[in-house]
Amino acid sequence: MLDFFTIFSKGGLVLWCFQGVSDSCTGPVNALIRSVLLQERGGNNSFTHEALTLKYKLDNQFELVFVVGFQKILTLTYVDKLIDDVHRLFRDKYRTEIQQQSALSLLNGTFDFQNDFLRLLREAEESSKIRAPTTMKKFEDSEKAKKPVRSMIETRGEKPKEKAKNSKKKGAKKESSDGSLATSKAVPAEKSGLPVGPEHGVELSKEELIRRKREEFIQKHGRGLEKSSKSTKSDAPKEKGKKAPRVWALGGCANKEVLDYSTPTTNGAPEVAPPEDINLIRGTGPGGQLQDLDCSSSDDEVTTQNATKPSATKGTLGGMFGMLKGLVGSKSLSREDMESVLDKMRDHLIAKNVAADIAVQLCESVANKLEGKVMGTFSTVTSTVKQALQESLVQILQPQRRVDMLRDIMDAQRHQRPYVVTFCGVNGVGKSTNLAKISFWLLENGFSVLIAACDTFRAGAVEQLRTHTRRLSALHPPENHGGRTMVQLFEKGYGKDAAGIAMEAIAFARNQGFDVVLVDTAGRMQDNAPLMTALAKLITVNTPDLVLFVGEALVGNEAVDQLVKFNRALADHSMAQTPRLIDGIVLTKFDTIDDKVGAAISMTYITSKPIVFVGTGQTYCDLRSLNAKAVVAALMKA
C-alpha cells in the first residue's frame, strides 16, 4: 500500500529508507524539499507530487524528517498514526547515535529498522481494519424526539399568558365590532382629559397604559419638533434660487474651443508635448537601474536584531511582543509555550493586510519548525518565535525562481527574436501605467520596445497607450539613437480579437527588429469565464516568454482569490497539454499602504512566484525591485 518511507536528517543524510515499489523515491522527496521545506511552507503536513501524496513530520530536537509516500487515489487512514509510531520508536532506539550531532557518526551508524517498521506497519493496518461497528441511533436518542418535550417544559408557564393576551385582543375586537358607539365615546373621553385611572374607579390594561404614556410623551415633546420642522420648511423656499453658472478653469464660457481636448496635429503627426511636462512625467532618479524598495521601517531592522541579545533592555522587542517575554531555561519548546505568542502574531499579520488563511498557515509553519527545539538558557519564547517568523517571511519573498528580464532579453537577441511579455490582471490595478514604466526602464537600458494594444474592450485604452508612446518617444527620440525608432505602438482599434492582434504585433516586431514586445490586455475579473477563456487563448497561441500578473498592494484576502482563480482559469481554458500559468507579479500602488505590506506575502505565498517589479508612484521612474528584508521589517513593525 505504501510506495516508500524514508528518514533523513535536515543536512541531507538518508538514515533509513523503505521501498514498497520499484520506482525511486528521490524525485518526490527532492520536490518536497524544494517546494515545502526550503520555502518555509510547513503549515500543512501533506504534499502532492504528480500521482503521489507525501506526508511528513519534522523532529526539530534531533533535526530529522520522516516522509511517507503513497498513491493519491488511495485513502489511507493509518498513515498519521504510522508516522507518529515510527518517529517515537526510531528516536528512542537510536537516541545515542543521533545525539552525537556529527555527519561521520551518522554515516558510520547502522540503523537496522526494517523489522520494527514492518511490525508497526502491520499493527497500523490491522488497527484501521478493526473498527467498532456503527450502531444506528434510535428515535428516542435523536434531537427530534427531545424537541417537543423540551418545548413543552420551557413554554408551559408562558402559554396561559399568551392565551390570556389573545383572549383580551379577541375581546377588544368583539367589543369594537359590536358597539361602535362605545369606542367613539371612549376616545373623546381620553382626549378631553376626563378622569381615567384606578383612583377614579376605571381599570386600565397594561397595553392601554403604555399607549396613553406614549401619547403624553408625543404631546410634550412633539410640539418642538413640529415647530423646528415647520421653520426648516419655511426657510427652504427662501434658500432656493437660480442655479449658479459654472465657472470654467480658463475663465471663459462653454464653447467648442474650451471643450475641445483633442491633440492638435501638424502635418498629420501629433504635436510633441512640451519638455517641462515630459520632465515632470519622467520623474527623478536613474531610469535604467532599478533601485531597491525602501520601506519606512528598514531602519528599525537593526534595533529589532539587537533586541534579541541578552543585554537588551526591557522594551526593545517592540509593542507586539513586549507583554509575552519569558525565559525558557534549556528546555524544548511545546505548542503550549508558543500558543499565546502565535495568536498575537497571527492577529498582527492580519492587521498588516496579510490574508487570514495565509497568516494561519504561516503561524502553523513556524510552530512545526520550532516544536521540540531545545532553547538556550537566556533565550525567550518571543524572540525565538519572532526570529523564526522573520526568516520564514524572507524565504517566502525569495522564491525558487528569479526573473532577470535583461538577461533573458539579451538571450532572445542572440536567437534573433523579440522577447514577449504579457500583462494580465483585474480592472483598475494599473496595467497600462506600469507597462509604460517598464517600457521606460527598457528604453533606458538600450532596448527597443513595441507596445501591443490588445485591450480592445475598455474605452480609451488605445488612446492611453498612444499618449504614453508619444511621451516615451519624446524622452528617447530617434535622433539620439541613430535614427532608430525606440518605441512604437501597434494597435488595430477596438472590438478585435486580442490574440490575433498580439500575433500580428509579434510578427511585426520580428520583421522590424524590435527587442521587446509588451502586450497589454483588458482588465477582467477572475470570475468572468468568457474573458478568462480569451486570455488563456492569447497566452496559448502566442506563447509569451513572461506572463506578469499585475495586482495592487491594497488588497487583502482578495489577492488569494484573484491569483488562485487566474491560475486555475489559465489551466482550465488552455488548449495545451502543459498549460502556461503566471510567471511573476507586478505589485502596484505600493506608496499608498504605509507599512501594511501584507499583500506581497499573500501573493508570493500562493503562487510561489517572485515579485518582479513594484510600482511606487505616478512617474516613469517610480519603479522598484523588491527588497525582502525591508518588507519583512515593515511587516514586523509594531
Side-chain angles (χ1 to χ4, degrees):
M1 301 292 283
L2 297 181
D3 285 24
F4 64 88
F5 195 112
T6 181
I7 303 172
F8 58 91
S9 67
K10 290 187 178 180
L13 296 177
V14 179
L15 307 183
W16 178 83
C17 182
F18 165 78
Q19 285 286 138
V21 294
S22 59
D23 296 338
S24 175
C25 64
T26 306
V29 174
N30 287 338
L32 172 70
I33 294 172
R34 285 194 306 268
S35 303
V36 178
L37 301 182
L38 293 181
Q39 293 296 320
E40 301 291 345
R41 301 173 189 273
N44 187 10
N45 66 341
S46 180
F47 172 71
T48 302
H49 176 71
E50 295 179 353
L52 292 179
T53 296
L54 279 68
K55 289 198 172 183
Y56 62 93
K57 184 172 184 178
L58 304 177
D59 188 337
N60 297 302
Q61 183 178 359
F62 298 114
E63 301 290 327
L64 299 179
V65 183
F66 297 78
V67 182
V68 58
F70 55 92
Q71 297 293 323
K72 66 180 179 182
I73 61 174
L74 301 178
T75 304
L76 304 181
T77 58
Y78 61 85
V79 172
D80 293 331
K81 180 180 182 302
L82 177 64
I83 293 181
D84 294 337
D85 294 341
V86 171
H87 169 236
R88 191 180 305 109
L89 181 60
F90 188 87
R91 183 185 58 185
D92 296 340
K93 187 175 181 179
Y94 301 104
R95 181 183 295 269
T96 305
E97 290 86 345
I98 300 172
Q99 280 181 341
Q100 292 180 4
Q101 297 291 333
S102 64
L104 186 60
S105 63
L106 292 178
L107 287 173
N108 295 331
T110 57
F111 301 95
D112 188 8
F113 197 66
Q114 187 78 10
N115 296 330
D116 295 329
F117 173 77
L118 293 177
R119 178 177 56 82
L120 293 175
L121 177 61
R122 186 167 53 253
E123 292 176 357
E125 290 177 348
E126 291 175 357
S127 64
S128 64
K129 294 177 182 178
I130 302 173
R131 290 183 180 178
T134 57
T135 57
M136 294 184 65
K137 189 184 291 185
K138 297 180 180 180
F139 177 75
E140 290 77 9
D141 300 332
S142 64
E143 293 291 333
K144 190 173 182 181
K146 298 176 184 178
K147 189 174 180 180
V149 179
R150 191 185 305 159
S151 61
M152 288 174 63
I153 293 173
E154 290 176 355
T155 59
R156 182 181 293 173
E158 299 177 1
K159 282 188 176 181
K161 294 180 181 179
E162 293 178 357
K163 290 182 179 179
K165 289 181 181 179
N166 294 334
S167 62
K168 286 181 181 180
K169 290 180 181 179
K170 290 180 181 178
K173 288 181 180 178
K174 287 181 180 178
E175 290 175 3
S176 61
S177 61
D178 292 340
S180 59
L181 294 174
T183 56
S184 62
K185 290 179 182 178
V187 174
E190 291 180 4
K191 289 184 178 180
S192 60
L194 293 177
V196 179
E199 65 275 7
H200 297 286
V202 181
E203 293 291 340
L204 295 177
S205 64
K206 188 175 181 180
E207 295 178 356
E208 291 175 349
L209 284 173
I210 293 173
R211 181 174 56 81
R212 187 175 179 186
K213 289 179 180 179
R214 187 182 294 115
E215 291 177 354
E216 291 176 358
F217 180 80
I218 292 172
Q219 288 177 1
K220 288 180 180 180
H221 299 278
R223 292 174 182 175
L225 296 173
E226 290 177 359
K227 289 179 181 179
S228 62
S229 62
K230 288 179 181 178
S231 62
T232 55
K233 288 181 180 179
S234 60
D235 296 339
K238 295 179 182 178
E239 294 177 359
K240 289 183 179 180
K242 294 183 179 180
K243 184 177 179 180
R246 181 171 180 176
V247 180
W248 296 95
L250 300 177
C253 57
N255 52 20
K256 291 183 178 181
E257 287 75 11
V258 176
L259 295 177
D260 187 9
Y261 288 96
S262 60
T263 56
T265 59
T266 56
N267 297 327
E271 185 180 358
V272 180
E276 61 271 10
D277 293 340
I278 293 176
N279 293 329
L280 183 63
I281 293 167
R282 182 194 184 278
T284 58
Q289 183 180 1
L290 284 180
Q291 298 178 352
D292 286 339
L293 184 66
D294 184 19
C295 296
S296 58
S297 59
S298 59
D299 296 332
D300 299 332
E301 186 180 3
V302 179
T303 59
T304 56
Q305 290 178 354
N306 294 333
T308 60
K309 296 181 180 180
S311 60
T313 57
K314 185 176 180 181
T316 53
L317 285 176
M320 173 182 161
F321 299 96
M323 303 298 294
L324 300 170
K325 291 191 297 180
L327 290 176
V328 184
S330 296
K331 58 171 283 190
S332 60
L333 275 176
S334 63
R335 290 268 180 170
E336 290 75 16
D337 298 332
M338 297 181 290
E339 186 176 358
S340 58
V341 182
L342 290 174
D343 290 342
K344 198 171 185 68
M345 183 184 300
R346 183 187 63 250
D347 297 339
H348 177 78
L349 291 176
I350 294 174
K352 291 287 187 175
N353 222 9
V354 179
D357 296 339
I358 306 300
V360 172
Q361 294 179 26
L362 280 171
C363 294
E364 188 67 23
S365 175
V366 171
N368 293 336
K369 182 180 178 181
L370 295 179
E371 186 178 8
K373 186 175 182 180
V374 178
M375 304 292 299
T377 305
F378 295 101
S379 300
T380 63
V381 178
T382 303
S383 61
T384 304
V385 173
K386 183 178 179 182
Q387 183 67 27
L389 180 65
Q390 286 180 339
E391 293 174 359
S392 299
L393 293 174
V394 171
Q395 192 67 33
I396 287 170
L397 288 173
Q398 295 173 347
Q400 39 193 325
R401 187 199 172 208
R402 180 176 178 268
V403 176
D404 191 346
M405 280 186 63
L406 299 180
R407 181 194 60 192
D408 296 341
I409 292 170
M410 288 187 288
D411 183 68
Q413 280 181 335
R414 285 193 293 269
H415 293 84
Q416 296 181 355
R417 65 174 183 85
Y419 185 81
V420 183
V421 184
T422 299
F423 295 81
C424 62
V426 299
N427 307 80
V429 294
K431 290 185 295 298
S432 302
T433 303
N434 285 272
L435 182 146
K437 293 180 185 179
I438 296 172
S439 300
F440 176 73
W441 173 65
L442 294 172
L443 292 172
E444 290 286 318
N445 283 279
F447 298 109
S448 57
V449 179
L450 179 68
I451 301 176
C454 295
D455 185 358
T456 62
F457 181 77
R458 176 173 64 92
V462 178
E463 287 76 11
Q464 181 182 5
L465 291 178
R466 185 179 292 119
T467 302
H468 282 303
T469 305
R470 186 184 69 242
R471 290 171 174 172
L472 291 171
S473 298
L475 290 170
H476 287 273
E479 295 80 17
N480 297 345
H481 299 275
R484 181 188 178 191
T485 302
M486 294 299 293
V487 59
Q488 188 173 339
L489 177 66
F490 186 91
E491 54 95 4
K492 293 292 183 181
Y494 295 96
K496 306 294 192 307
D497 181 27
I501 296 176
M503 182 180 293
E504 294 180 17
I506 295 171
F508 180 81
R510 185 180 292 109
N511 295 331
Q512 298 297 322
F514 282 95
D515 299 324
V516 186
V517 178
L518 302 182
V519 181
D520 183 32
T521 62
R524 63 205 76 210
M525 296 304 294
Q526 61 270 21
D527 299 323
N528 195 327
L531 290 179
M532 293 306 300
T533 306
L535 179 63
K537 175 187 173 185
L538 186 147
I539 293 175
T540 305
V541 170
N542 297 285
T543 60
D545 298 282
L546 188 64
V547 179
L548 294 179
F549 176 84
V550 185
E552 58 184 4
L554 302 171
V555 296
N557 294 330
E558 187 68 13
V560 179
D561 187 60
Q562 289 175 5
L563 283 165
V564 168
K565 290 188 176 179
F566 256 82
N567 266 333
R568 187 185 305 161
L570 291 178
D572 293 344
H573 301 298
S574 177
M575 297 173 288
Q577 186 176 1
T578 56
R580 184 68 179 277
L581 303 180
I582 294 169
D583 299 320
I585 300 169
V586 179
L587 199 59
T588 66
K589 307 177 184 178
F590 208 83
D591 55 323
T592 63
I593 58 172
D594 195 21
D595 59 350
K596 291 181 171 56
V597 295
I601 299 293
S602 301
M603 292 183 177
T604 313
Y605 191 93
I606 285 296
T607 59
S608 300
K609 303 299 180 183
I611 296 177
V612 186
F613 300 105
V614 179
T616 59
Q618 298 182 4
T619 65
Y620 290 146
C621 289
D622 292 329
L623 196 67
R624 300 287 185 270
S625 62
L626 187 70
N627 185 358
K629 293 185 178 180
V631 172
V632 172
L635 190 65
M636 298 300 294
K637 183 181 177 182

